Amino acid sequence: MLIKVQKFGGSSVGNPERMRRVARRIAEAADAGNQVAVVVSAMGDTTDDLIALSRELNPQPERREMDMLLSTGEQQSIALLAMTLQNMGYKAISLTGRQAGFRTDGSYSSAKILSVDCQRVRDELEAGKIAIVAGFQGVDHCGEINTLGRGGSDTSAVALAIGLEADVCEIFTDVDGVYTADPRIVKKAWKIPEISYDEMLEMAAMGALVLQPRSVELAKQYGVVLHVRSSFNHNEGTIVKEEVSMDKDMEKELIVCGVAHDMNVLKVSLFGIPNRHGMAGDIFEQLARVGVNVDMIVQSGSRDMRHDISFTCGRDERVKVETAVQNLMLTVPMEYYTIVDTLAKISIVGAGMITHPGVAAKMFRVFSENKINISMISTSEIKISCIVDEREVTKALMCLHTAFGLDAEEN
Amino acid sequence: MLIKVQKFGGSSVGNPERMRRVARRIAEAADAGNQVAVVVSAMGDTTDDLIALSRELNPQPERREMDMLLSTGEQQSIALLAMTLQNMGYKAISLTGRQAGFRTDGSYSSAKILSVDCQRVRDELEAGKIAIVAGFQGVDHCGEINTLGRGGSDTSAVALAIGLEADVCEIFTDVDGVYTADPRIVKKAWKIPEISYDEMLEMAAMGALVLQPRSVELAKQYGVVLHVRSSFNHNEGTIVKEEVSMDKDMEKELIVCGVAHDMNVLKVSLFGIPNRHGMAGDIFEQLARVGVNVDMIVQSGSRDMRHDISFTCGRDERVKVETAVQNLMLTVPMEYYTIVDTLAKISIVGAGMITHPGVAAKMFRVFSENKINISMISTSEIKISCIVDEREVTKALMCLHTAFGLDAEEN
């Protein structure tokens, strides 16, 4: 008998009809003879509605109270989903994060899971029940409710799979799996059958957020096999695991597994910073203090004992960035700064590029042949990212998809 | 420094504006130098909405899952109310039933409170915070969430007041207090300044449900002084306590403290039941089995070795009653039965009637002088109730109010 963890997001249980469809999906897994533990998020817009309501009463509520409030969303989902399964004749039981043994570190709104004591869930599974567990939440050593931050339900599911030593962890989403590029833009994109954790991390860190990066990191650490698939059909999705097997049907060995894009790019450039020791430290400390998540950083060579620094972050962080830069100018005598919000990030991802030199060169050549200007570059072992004008995104995705041999043959 | 428990119902916190008004009310009590612990219900229609949603997914959900679902309503209220107070500059903290130490007996949907360990609440009060506690809920010895049944928040408030040895327990409602009769019907009705627990119980068991009877019983048992008052104004409400002091302003000693009515009456009569041993037991066991709450019972004298039994219950229990009676007819050879739903119950309540004979006689005389037919009668030590035609309710209330000297002088 296999142990299966299934995770359903908020949009999958957004209304009674969808809730019933999810229940049928769970029931199928149980009928197939599996022990099934389910992690579910809050229904549809519940979390956003609660946040809006709280803002009306307090624009800056304490995070403890936000966690107290928001954790009710998942508690409602699990109860309703358990009822739905019971109505279909299945034995099911809902469990809060606390009841399911999720111990967290006490950081309200962004807690880390310290441990999962799965005894209760295991007992319910042994008793022939489907266990429906609230994602996104746990309790700290004082019994205070913590949430894991938005999207934390993926991480809950992986943690539960680890605790239960589950055979597979299915992550249900509204897409069929992980694609070589956004299929709404690149018509020849196709679903990747298998992808490594690292590649998934690089893909996930960008636009198409089918999986929270934290959950992938956790899955990698414990070797949990993830199956990202659609809750709307029974197609095989994308398997995320350590060693990706060579697919016989794939005629070519792919160096690049996907091309991703991210429109949420704000580029900030600070010009004429004195070439003094510790300047970069001062700058990024100040940004961290106001909570800006910096992505790419480029420092130019110096001239006249001064240099320029550019970095990117999310467009929604503009206000925080401006606050930080204003503060900086009091202590760091820079010449001026610019903020540009009409850019996008294009990345190619693939574990194969470690052993294949010249991938970056090929990417840049493709861009130059297509008259796409590159404004920033950053590289990791398995990813190369370029910042380009947002109007070039479609062209950039399509020409890279073709150049790296990703185009599906029959589309 | 006094310890005050304040309880606010769901309609008092039904929207952000009302939530802020409640917060101001709490803040006033804190500003006056009290330690304040607050018990709050779910916002407005939250509970009803959740019930409706659950019914869509499962018409007969397990009660454990209903408790899991419904307890989120109060958890949302406490978080939002704590945020509101924090926004006004007060230190406040929300606590679930579990965190506030409410231990219940494991009966889902209708749990009894076994104990309240107030250490956490006490610590928060000592730390200068206003403690906002979720009413209506607790956890059993396995950590399962139990609800106390609808209206259980009054009982939570009283239990918290006992645990904290509070000086007063204020129950805020949308009326000014307990009246001698429904002021919408009897214009000369007035607010009773003080009432004994027993009188309150008899009044509460009827139409004007300003306080849950369970909460009054608990308050009586531990001698908790209750103050029933309006959340809309600062008028003194009604004090509920053991010994009611003689009010100097009251010119007459009142034998009857109030006249109550209840329109929710269904009268069921079973005719020609054999005069055999155990028949009544069979009948009311059957009714209990389907969950009918029987109120008044009258058995007529026998004729031809047969007799008649009539009882009353709520009008909403008609379907259950008919099921029970149909079942009964299989084993109890009665002649026929009738169900009447056009009746109402009129009661006079007063601790004074124990020592004043002739109160019942006076009530019947008043009815006969006003040509009101009595269809059933029941009496307790401090209450006399009559079932009359529902069209007679206004006349009955007014003439009894006058006859027992309750009419206010200046109205």
Side-chain angles (χ1 to χ4, degrees), chain A residues 16 20 54 56-59 62 64-66 68 71-72 75-76 79 83-84 86-87 93-94 98-99 120 143-145, chain B residues 16 20 56-59 62 64-66 68 71-72 75-76 79 83-84 86-87 93-94 98-99 120 143-145:
Chain A
R20 278 189 286 267
S54 72
E56 244 186 280
L57 294 164
N58 188 337
E62 281 185 13
R64 177 188 184 279
E65 300 304 333
M66 278 310 283
M68 177 69 87
S71 60
T72 63
Q75 192 173 328
Q76 293 177 352
M83 287 177 195
T84 308
Q86 288 166 0
N87 196 45
I93 187 164
S94 66
R98 172 197 292 266
Q99 291 172 335
R120 174 74 189 270
E144 296 287 334
I145 298 169
Chain B
R20 279 188 285 267
E56 246 188 279
L57 294 165
N58 188 337
E62 282 185 12
R64 177 188 184 278
E65 300 303 332
M66 278 310 284
M68 178 69 88
S71 60
T72 62
Q75 192 174 326
Q76 293 177 353
M83 288 176 194
T84 309
Q86 287 166 0
N87 197 46
I93 186 164
S94 66
R98 173 198 291 266
Q99 291 172 334
R120 174 74 189 270
E144 296 287 335
I145 298 169

Short mmCIF file of all heavy atoms in Angstrom, two decimals, chain A residues 16 20 54 56-59 62 64-66 68 71-72 75-76 79 83-84 86-87 93-94 98-99 120 143-145, chain B residues 16 20 56-59 62 64-66 68 71-72 75-76 79 83-84 86-87 93-94 98-99 120 143-145:
data_model
loop_
_atom_site.label_atom_id
_atom_site.label_comp_id
_atom_site.label_asym_id
_atom_site.label_seq_id
_atom_site.Cartn_x
_atom_site.Cartn_y
_atom_site.Cartn_z
N PRO A 16 -18.15 25.31 -4.10
CA PRO A 16 -18.61 23.94 -3.79
C PRO A 16 -18.38 22.97 -4.95
O PRO A 16 -17.99 21.82 -4.73
CB PRO A 16 -20.10 24.14 -3.50
CG PRO A 16 -20.19 25.52 -2.95
CD PRO A 16 -19.18 26.31 -3.73
N ARG A 20 -16.05 19.64 -4.71
CA ARG A 20 -16.49 18.27 -5.02
C ARG A 20 -15.57 17.60 -6.03
O ARG A 20 -15.28 16.41 -5.93
CB ARG A 20 -17.94 18.29 -5.55
CG ARG A 20 -18.98 18.34 -4.44
CD ARG A 20 -20.39 18.14 -4.97
NE ARG A 20 -20.87 19.33 -5.67
CZ ARG A 20 -21.57 20.30 -5.09
NH1 ARG A 20 -21.90 20.22 -3.82
NH2 ARG A 20 -21.96 21.35 -5.78
N SER A 54 -9.05 43.17 7.46
CA SER A 54 -8.15 43.57 8.54
C SER A 54 -7.56 44.95 8.27
O SER A 54 -7.43 45.76 9.18
CB SER A 54 -7.04 42.54 8.72
OG SER A 54 -6.13 42.62 7.64
N GLU A 56 -8.94 47.38 6.87
CA GLU A 56 -9.93 48.40 7.19
C GLU A 56 -9.89 48.77 8.67
O GLU A 56 -10.22 49.88 9.06
CB GLU A 56 -11.33 47.85 6.87
CG GLU A 56 -12.04 48.59 5.77
CD GLU A 56 -13.46 48.09 5.63
OE1 GLU A 56 -13.64 47.03 5.00
OE2 GLU A 56 -14.37 48.75 6.14
N LEU A 57 -9.52 47.80 9.50
CA LEU A 57 -9.52 48.01 10.94
C LEU A 57 -8.16 48.43 11.47
O LEU A 57 -8.06 49.07 12.51
CB LEU A 57 -9.98 46.73 11.64
CG LEU A 57 -11.43 46.36 11.35
CD1 LEU A 57 -11.73 44.92 11.73
CD2 LEU A 57 -12.37 47.32 12.07
N ASN A 58 -7.12 48.03 10.75
CA ASN A 58 -5.77 48.37 11.18
C ASN A 58 -4.84 48.22 9.98
O ASN A 58 -4.59 47.12 9.52
CB ASN A 58 -5.34 47.42 12.32
CG ASN A 58 -4.03 47.84 12.95
OD1 ASN A 58 -3.23 48.54 12.32
ND2 ASN A 58 -3.82 47.42 14.18
N PRO A 59 -4.33 49.36 9.49
CA PRO A 59 -3.49 49.29 8.27
C PRO A 59 -2.20 48.50 8.50
O PRO A 59 -1.66 47.94 7.56
CB PRO A 59 -3.17 50.76 7.98
CG PRO A 59 -4.10 51.56 8.82
CD PRO A 59 -4.49 50.72 9.99
N GLU A 62 -0.54 43.74 13.90
CA GLU A 62 0.55 42.87 14.39
C GLU A 62 0.50 41.56 13.62
O GLU A 62 -0.57 41.03 13.36
CB GLU A 62 0.36 42.59 15.88
CG GLU A 62 0.80 43.73 16.75
CD GLU A 62 0.72 43.39 18.24
OE1 GLU A 62 0.55 42.19 18.57
OE2 GLU A 62 0.81 44.31 19.05
N ARG A 64 1.23 38.62 14.62
CA ARG A 64 0.59 37.53 15.38
C ARG A 64 -0.91 37.49 15.11
O ARG A 64 -1.50 36.43 14.90
CB ARG A 64 0.82 37.73 16.88
CG ARG A 64 0.10 36.67 17.72
CD ARG A 64 0.16 36.96 19.22
NE ARG A 64 -0.45 35.87 19.96
CZ ARG A 64 -1.75 35.72 20.14
NH1 ARG A 64 -2.60 36.60 19.60
NH2 ARG A 64 -2.23 34.72 20.83
N GLU A 65 -1.54 38.67 15.10
CA GLU A 65 -2.99 38.72 14.89
C GLU A 65 -3.34 38.36 13.45
O GLU A 65 -4.37 37.75 13.20
CB GLU A 65 -3.53 40.09 15.28
CG GLU A 65 -3.29 40.47 16.76
CD GLU A 65 -3.86 39.47 17.74
OE1 GLU A 65 -4.83 38.77 17.41
OE2 GLU A 65 -3.29 39.35 18.85
N MET A 66 -2.48 38.73 12.50
CA MET A 66 -2.74 38.33 11.11
C MET A 66 -2.72 36.81 10.99
O MET A 66 -3.54 36.21 10.30
CB MET A 66 -1.68 38.93 10.17
CG MET A 66 -1.94 40.36 9.77
SD MET A 66 -3.61 40.67 9.15
CE MET A 66 -3.50 40.00 7.50
N MET A 68 -3.34 34.65 13.37
CA MET A 68 -4.55 34.17 14.04
C MET A 68 -5.73 34.24 13.06
O MET A 68 -6.54 33.32 12.96
CB MET A 68 -4.81 35.07 15.26
CG MET A 68 -6.06 34.77 16.03
SD MET A 68 -6.01 33.19 16.91
CE MET A 68 -5.24 33.69 18.46
N SER A 71 -5.08 31.96 9.47
CA SER A 71 -5.07 30.50 9.62
C SER A 71 -6.48 29.92 9.63
O SER A 71 -6.66 28.72 9.44
CB SER A 71 -4.33 30.10 10.91
OG SER A 71 -4.97 30.67 12.03
N THR A 72 -7.49 30.77 9.81
CA THR A 72 -8.87 30.27 9.77
C THR A 72 -9.27 29.85 8.36
O THR A 72 -10.14 28.99 8.20
CB THR A 72 -9.88 31.32 10.26
OG1 THR A 72 -9.85 32.45 9.38
CG2 THR A 72 -9.58 31.76 11.68
N GLN A 75 -8.46 26.30 7.94
CA GLN A 75 -9.28 25.48 8.84
C GLN A 75 -10.68 25.27 8.26
O GLN A 75 -11.29 24.21 8.41
CB GLN A 75 -9.33 26.15 10.22
CG GLN A 75 -9.92 25.24 11.28
CD GLN A 75 -9.81 25.82 12.68
OE1 GLN A 75 -8.87 26.54 13.00
NE2 GLN A 75 -10.78 25.51 13.52
N GLN A 76 -11.19 26.31 7.57
CA GLN A 76 -12.49 26.16 6.92
C GLN A 76 -12.40 25.16 5.76
O GLN A 76 -13.26 24.29 5.61
CB GLN A 76 -12.98 27.53 6.43
CG GLN A 76 -13.31 28.47 7.58
CD GLN A 76 -13.74 29.86 7.14
OE1 GLN A 76 -13.67 30.20 5.96
NE2 GLN A 76 -14.18 30.67 8.08
N ALA A 79 -12.23 21.43 6.91
CA ALA A 79 -13.51 20.93 7.44
C ALA A 79 -14.47 20.67 6.28
O ALA A 79 -15.11 19.62 6.21
CB ALA A 79 -14.10 21.93 8.43
N MET A 83 -15.99 17.05 5.04
CA MET A 83 -17.44 16.84 4.94
C MET A 83 -17.83 16.34 3.55
O MET A 83 -18.69 15.48 3.41
CB MET A 83 -18.18 18.17 5.14
CG MET A 83 -18.18 18.66 6.55
SD MET A 83 -19.01 20.27 6.55
CE MET A 83 -18.50 20.84 8.17
N THR A 84 -17.21 16.92 2.53
CA THR A 84 -17.54 16.55 1.16
C THR A 84 -17.20 15.08 0.92
O THR A 84 -17.99 14.33 0.33
CB THR A 84 -16.77 17.45 0.17
OG1 THR A 84 -16.99 18.81 0.53
CG2 THR A 84 -17.24 17.23 -1.25
N GLN A 86 -16.97 12.79 3.25
CA GLN A 86 -17.89 11.99 4.06
C GLN A 86 -19.22 11.83 3.33
O GLN A 86 -19.83 10.76 3.35
CB GLN A 86 -18.10 12.65 5.43
CG GLN A 86 -16.87 12.54 6.34
CD GLN A 86 -16.93 13.48 7.53
OE1 GLN A 86 -17.89 14.23 7.71
NE2 GLN A 86 -15.90 13.45 8.36
N ASN A 87 -19.65 12.89 2.67
CA ASN A 87 -20.92 12.84 1.95
C ASN A 87 -20.85 11.85 0.77
O ASN A 87 -21.87 11.33 0.35
CB ASN A 87 -21.26 14.24 1.43
CG ASN A 87 -22.71 14.35 1.02
OD1 ASN A 87 -23.60 13.89 1.74
ND2 ASN A 87 -22.97 14.94 -0.14
N ILE A 93 -11.04 12.85 7.84
CA ILE A 93 -10.96 13.67 9.06
C ILE A 93 -10.06 14.87 8.78
O ILE A 93 -9.04 14.76 8.11
CB ILE A 93 -10.42 12.86 10.26
CG1 ILE A 93 -10.49 13.68 11.54
CG2 ILE A 93 -8.99 12.36 10.00
CD1 ILE A 93 -10.35 12.85 12.80
N SER A 94 -10.50 16.04 9.25
CA SER A 94 -9.71 17.25 9.06
C SER A 94 -8.78 17.44 10.24
O SER A 94 -9.13 17.10 11.37
CB SER A 94 -10.64 18.46 8.92
OG SER A 94 -11.33 18.69 10.13
N ARG A 98 -1.74 22.33 13.93
CA ARG A 98 -1.37 21.87 15.26
C ARG A 98 -1.66 20.37 15.41
O ARG A 98 -0.80 19.60 15.84
CB ARG A 98 -2.16 22.64 16.32
CG ARG A 98 -1.98 22.09 17.73
CD ARG A 98 -3.07 22.58 18.66
NE ARG A 98 -2.97 24.00 18.91
CZ ARG A 98 -2.34 24.53 19.95
NH1 ARG A 98 -1.74 23.75 20.83
NH2 ARG A 98 -2.33 25.83 20.12
N GLN A 99 -2.87 19.98 15.03
CA GLN A 99 -3.26 18.58 15.21
C GLN A 99 -2.42 17.65 14.34
O GLN A 99 -2.19 16.50 14.70
CB GLN A 99 -4.75 18.42 14.90
CG GLN A 99 -5.66 19.09 15.94
CD GLN A 99 -7.12 19.09 15.53
OE1 GLN A 99 -7.45 19.03 14.36
NE2 GLN A 99 -8.01 19.16 16.52
N ARG A 120 -0.35 11.43 14.63
CA ARG A 120 -1.81 11.53 14.51
C ARG A 120 -2.26 11.22 13.08
O ARG A 120 -3.20 10.45 12.88
CB ARG A 120 -2.26 12.94 14.92
CG ARG A 120 -3.75 13.23 14.70
CD ARG A 120 -4.59 12.53 15.75
NE ARG A 120 -6.02 12.62 15.43
CZ ARG A 120 -6.83 13.59 15.84
NH1 ARG A 120 -6.37 14.56 16.61
NH2 ARG A 120 -8.11 13.58 15.53
N GLY A 143 2.52 27.30 21.62
CA GLY A 143 1.14 27.08 21.20
C GLY A 143 0.57 28.24 20.41
O GLY A 143 -0.63 28.32 20.18
N GLU A 144 1.44 29.15 19.98
CA GLU A 144 0.99 30.28 19.17
C GLU A 144 0.89 29.83 17.71
O GLU A 144 1.75 29.08 17.23
CB GLU A 144 1.98 31.44 19.26
CG GLU A 144 2.09 32.03 20.65
CD GLU A 144 0.86 32.86 21.03
OE1 GLU A 144 0.20 33.39 20.12
OE2 GLU A 144 0.59 32.98 22.23
N ILE A 145 -0.15 30.32 17.02
CA ILE A 145 -0.35 29.94 15.63
C ILE A 145 0.58 30.75 14.73
O ILE A 145 0.63 31.98 14.82
CB ILE A 145 -1.83 30.19 15.22
CG1 ILE A 145 -2.75 29.31 16.07
CG2 ILE A 145 -2.02 29.91 13.73
CD1 ILE A 145 -4.22 29.66 15.93
N PRO B 16 -17.08 46.47 10.15
CA PRO B 16 -15.94 47.23 10.70
C PRO B 16 -16.38 48.40 11.60
O PRO B 16 -15.78 48.65 12.63
CB PRO B 16 -15.21 47.72 9.45
CG PRO B 16 -15.51 46.69 8.42
CD PRO B 16 -16.92 46.25 8.69
N ARG B 20 -15.39 48.77 15.52
CA ARG B 20 -14.71 49.92 16.12
C ARG B 20 -15.49 50.45 17.33
O ARG B 20 -14.90 50.86 18.32
CB ARG B 20 -14.52 51.04 15.08
CG ARG B 20 -13.31 50.81 14.19
CD ARG B 20 -13.03 52.02 13.30
NE ARG B 20 -13.98 52.11 12.22
CZ ARG B 20 -13.79 51.58 11.00
NH1 ARG B 20 -12.67 50.96 10.73
NH2 ARG B 20 -14.70 51.70 10.08
N GLU B 56 -24.37 22.68 1.59
CA GLU B 56 -24.27 22.46 0.15
C GLU B 56 -23.38 21.26 -0.16
O GLU B 56 -23.56 20.58 -1.17
CB GLU B 56 -23.65 23.71 -0.51
CG GLU B 56 -24.59 24.44 -1.42
CD GLU B 56 -23.84 25.52 -2.17
OE1 GLU B 56 -23.62 26.60 -1.58
OE2 GLU B 56 -23.48 25.30 -3.33
N LEU B 57 -22.40 21.04 0.70
CA LEU B 57 -21.44 19.96 0.45
C LEU B 57 -21.82 18.67 1.14
O LEU B 57 -21.43 17.59 0.71
CB LEU B 57 -20.05 20.42 0.91
CG LEU B 57 -19.48 21.58 0.10
CD1 LEU B 57 -18.31 22.22 0.80
CD2 LEU B 57 -19.08 21.10 -1.28
N ASN B 58 -22.57 18.80 2.22
CA ASN B 58 -22.97 17.62 2.98
C ASN B 58 -24.17 17.99 3.84
O ASN B 58 -24.03 18.75 4.79
CB ASN B 58 -21.80 17.13 3.85
CG ASN B 58 -22.09 15.80 4.51
OD1 ASN B 58 -23.25 15.42 4.68
ND2 ASN B 58 -21.05 15.09 4.89
N PRO B 59 -25.35 17.46 3.51
CA PRO B 59 -26.55 17.86 4.26
C PRO B 59 -26.49 17.45 5.74
O PRO B 59 -27.10 18.08 6.57
CB PRO B 59 -27.68 17.12 3.55
CG PRO B 59 -27.12 16.62 2.27
CD PRO B 59 -25.65 16.49 2.45
N GLU B 62 -20.62 15.49 9.77
CA GLU B 62 -20.24 15.05 11.12
C GLU B 62 -20.08 16.28 12.00
O GLU B 62 -19.57 17.30 11.56
CB GLU B 62 -18.90 14.30 11.07
CG GLU B 62 -19.04 12.88 10.57
CD GLU B 62 -17.72 12.13 10.65
OE1 GLU B 62 -16.76 12.62 11.28
OE2 GLU B 62 -17.66 11.04 10.04
N ARG B 64 -18.08 16.77 14.44
CA ARG B 64 -16.68 17.16 14.63
C ARG B 64 -16.25 18.16 13.55
O ARG B 64 -15.60 19.16 13.83
CB ARG B 64 -15.76 15.94 14.56
CG ARG B 64 -14.30 16.32 14.69
CD ARG B 64 -13.37 15.15 14.43
NE ARG B 64 -11.98 15.54 14.66
CZ ARG B 64 -11.24 16.19 13.77
NH1 ARG B 64 -11.75 16.54 12.61
NH2 ARG B 64 -9.99 16.51 14.05
N GLU B 65 -16.63 17.88 12.31
CA GLU B 65 -16.22 18.76 11.22
C GLU B 65 -16.95 20.10 11.29
O GLU B 65 -16.38 21.14 10.94
CB GLU B 65 -16.43 18.07 9.86
CG GLU B 65 -15.65 16.77 9.69
CD GLU B 65 -14.15 16.94 9.88
OE1 GLU B 65 -13.63 18.04 9.63
OE2 GLU B 65 -13.50 15.96 10.31
N MET B 66 -18.20 20.07 11.73
CA MET B 66 -18.93 21.34 11.90
C MET B 66 -18.21 22.21 12.94
O MET B 66 -18.09 23.43 12.77
CB MET B 66 -20.37 21.09 12.36
CG MET B 66 -21.33 20.74 11.25
SD MET B 66 -21.28 21.89 9.83
CE MET B 66 -22.19 23.29 10.49
N MET B 68 -15.04 22.09 13.75
CA MET B 68 -13.80 22.54 13.11
C MET B 68 -14.09 23.78 12.27
O MET B 68 -13.34 24.76 12.28
CB MET B 68 -13.26 21.40 12.25
CG MET B 68 -12.00 21.72 11.48
SD MET B 68 -10.56 21.93 12.52
CE MET B 68 -9.99 20.22 12.63
N SER B 71 -15.81 27.03 14.51
CA SER B 71 -14.93 27.69 15.48
C SER B 71 -14.04 28.74 14.81
O SER B 71 -13.48 29.59 15.49
CB SER B 71 -14.07 26.65 16.21
OG SER B 71 -13.27 25.94 15.28
N THR B 72 -13.95 28.70 13.48
CA THR B 72 -13.14 29.73 12.80
C THR B 72 -13.81 31.10 12.88
O THR B 72 -13.13 32.11 12.81
CB THR B 72 -12.93 29.40 11.31
OG1 THR B 72 -14.20 29.35 10.64
CG2 THR B 72 -12.23 28.06 11.14
N GLN B 75 -12.57 32.83 15.87
CA GLN B 75 -11.13 33.09 15.74
C GLN B 75 -10.89 34.32 14.87
O GLN B 75 -9.98 35.11 15.12
CB GLN B 75 -10.43 31.85 15.17
CG GLN B 75 -8.92 31.94 15.29
CD GLN B 75 -8.23 30.65 14.86
OE1 GLN B 75 -8.74 29.55 15.07
NE2 GLN B 75 -7.06 30.77 14.27
N GLN B 76 -11.73 34.51 13.86
CA GLN B 76 -11.62 35.71 13.03
C GLN B 76 -11.99 36.96 13.84
O GLN B 76 -11.30 37.98 13.79
CB GLN B 76 -12.50 35.58 11.79
CG GLN B 76 -12.01 34.49 10.84
CD GLN B 76 -12.90 34.28 9.64
OE1 GLN B 76 -13.98 34.85 9.54
NE2 GLN B 76 -12.46 33.44 8.71
N ALA B 79 -9.23 38.06 16.36
CA ALA B 79 -8.05 38.65 15.72
C ALA B 79 -8.38 40.07 15.25
O ALA B 79 -7.61 41.01 15.48
CB ALA B 79 -7.59 37.79 14.54
N MET B 83 -6.78 43.61 16.61
CA MET B 83 -6.15 44.56 15.68
C MET B 83 -6.76 45.95 15.82
O MET B 83 -6.05 46.96 15.77
CB MET B 83 -6.39 44.12 14.23
CG MET B 83 -5.60 42.91 13.81
SD MET B 83 -6.13 42.48 12.13
CE MET B 83 -5.42 40.85 12.02
N THR B 84 -8.09 45.99 15.95
CA THR B 84 -8.78 47.27 16.05
C THR B 84 -8.31 48.02 17.29
O THR B 84 -8.03 49.22 17.25
CB THR B 84 -10.30 47.04 16.10
OG1 THR B 84 -10.68 46.20 15.01
CG2 THR B 84 -11.05 48.36 16.00
N GLN B 86 -5.46 47.56 18.85
CA GLN B 86 -4.05 47.93 18.65
C GLN B 86 -3.96 49.20 17.81
O GLN B 86 -3.13 50.07 18.06
CB GLN B 86 -3.30 46.78 17.96
CG GLN B 86 -3.06 45.59 18.89
CD GLN B 86 -2.63 44.33 18.15
OE1 GLN B 86 -2.52 44.33 16.93
NE2 GLN B 86 -2.41 43.26 18.89
N ASN B 87 -4.84 49.31 16.83
CA ASN B 87 -4.85 50.49 15.97
C ASN B 87 -5.22 51.75 16.75
O ASN B 87 -4.85 52.86 16.38
CB ASN B 87 -5.84 50.29 14.82
CG ASN B 87 -5.61 51.27 13.69
OD1 ASN B 87 -4.47 51.48 13.27
ND2 ASN B 87 -6.69 51.88 13.21
N ILE B 93 -4.47 41.32 22.89
CA ILE B 93 -4.03 40.04 22.33
C ILE B 93 -5.24 39.12 22.22
O ILE B 93 -6.09 39.08 23.12
CB ILE B 93 -2.93 39.40 23.21
CG1 ILE B 93 -2.39 38.13 22.53
CG2 ILE B 93 -3.43 39.09 24.62
CD1 ILE B 93 -1.07 37.65 23.11
N SER B 94 -5.33 38.43 21.08
CA SER B 94 -6.43 37.50 20.88
C SER B 94 -6.02 36.11 21.37
O SER B 94 -4.86 35.74 21.27
CB SER B 94 -6.80 37.44 19.40
OG SER B 94 -5.75 36.87 18.65
N ARG B 98 -8.76 27.37 23.11
CA ARG B 98 -7.66 26.54 23.62
C ARG B 98 -6.64 27.37 24.38
O ARG B 98 -6.25 27.05 25.50
CB ARG B 98 -6.96 25.85 22.44
CG ARG B 98 -5.70 25.09 22.84
CD ARG B 98 -4.80 24.79 21.64
NE ARG B 98 -5.40 23.83 20.77
CZ ARG B 98 -5.18 22.51 20.83
NH1 ARG B 98 -4.38 22.02 21.75
NH2 ARG B 98 -5.76 21.70 19.98
N GLN B 99 -6.22 28.48 23.76
CA GLN B 99 -5.19 29.30 24.38
C GLN B 99 -5.68 29.93 25.68
O GLN B 99 -4.91 30.17 26.60
CB GLN B 99 -4.72 30.39 23.40
CG GLN B 99 -3.94 29.81 22.21
CD GLN B 99 -3.64 30.85 21.15
OE1 GLN B 99 -4.34 31.85 21.02
NE2 GLN B 99 -2.59 30.61 20.38
N ARG B 120 -3.02 31.90 31.35
CA ARG B 120 -2.58 32.70 30.21
C ARG B 120 -3.30 34.06 30.17
O ARG B 120 -2.66 35.10 29.99
CB ARG B 120 -2.84 31.93 28.90
CG ARG B 120 -2.54 32.70 27.62
CD ARG B 120 -1.05 32.83 27.38
NE ARG B 120 -0.75 33.74 26.29
CZ ARG B 120 -0.63 33.39 25.01
NH1 ARG B 120 -0.77 32.13 24.66
NH2 ARG B 120 -0.34 34.28 24.09
N GLY B 143 -7.40 17.37 22.45
CA GLY B 143 -7.04 18.50 21.61
C GLY B 143 -8.01 18.71 20.46
O GLY B 143 -7.73 19.45 19.52
N GLU B 144 -9.17 18.06 20.53
CA GLU B 144 -10.19 18.25 19.50
C GLU B 144 -10.99 19.52 19.82
O GLU B 144 -11.30 19.78 20.98
CB GLU B 144 -11.14 17.05 19.46
CG GLU B 144 -10.47 15.75 19.06
CD GLU B 144 -10.13 15.72 17.57
OE1 GLU B 144 -10.81 16.42 16.80
OE2 GLU B 144 -9.20 14.99 17.19
N ILE B 145 -11.34 20.26 18.76
CA ILE B 145 -12.10 21.49 18.96
C ILE B 145 -13.57 21.17 19.17
O ILE B 145 -14.17 20.44 18.39
CB ILE B 145 -11.92 22.42 17.74
CG1 ILE B 145 -10.45 22.81 17.58
CG2 ILE B 145 -12.81 23.66 17.88
CD1 ILE B 145 -10.14 23.50 16.27
#
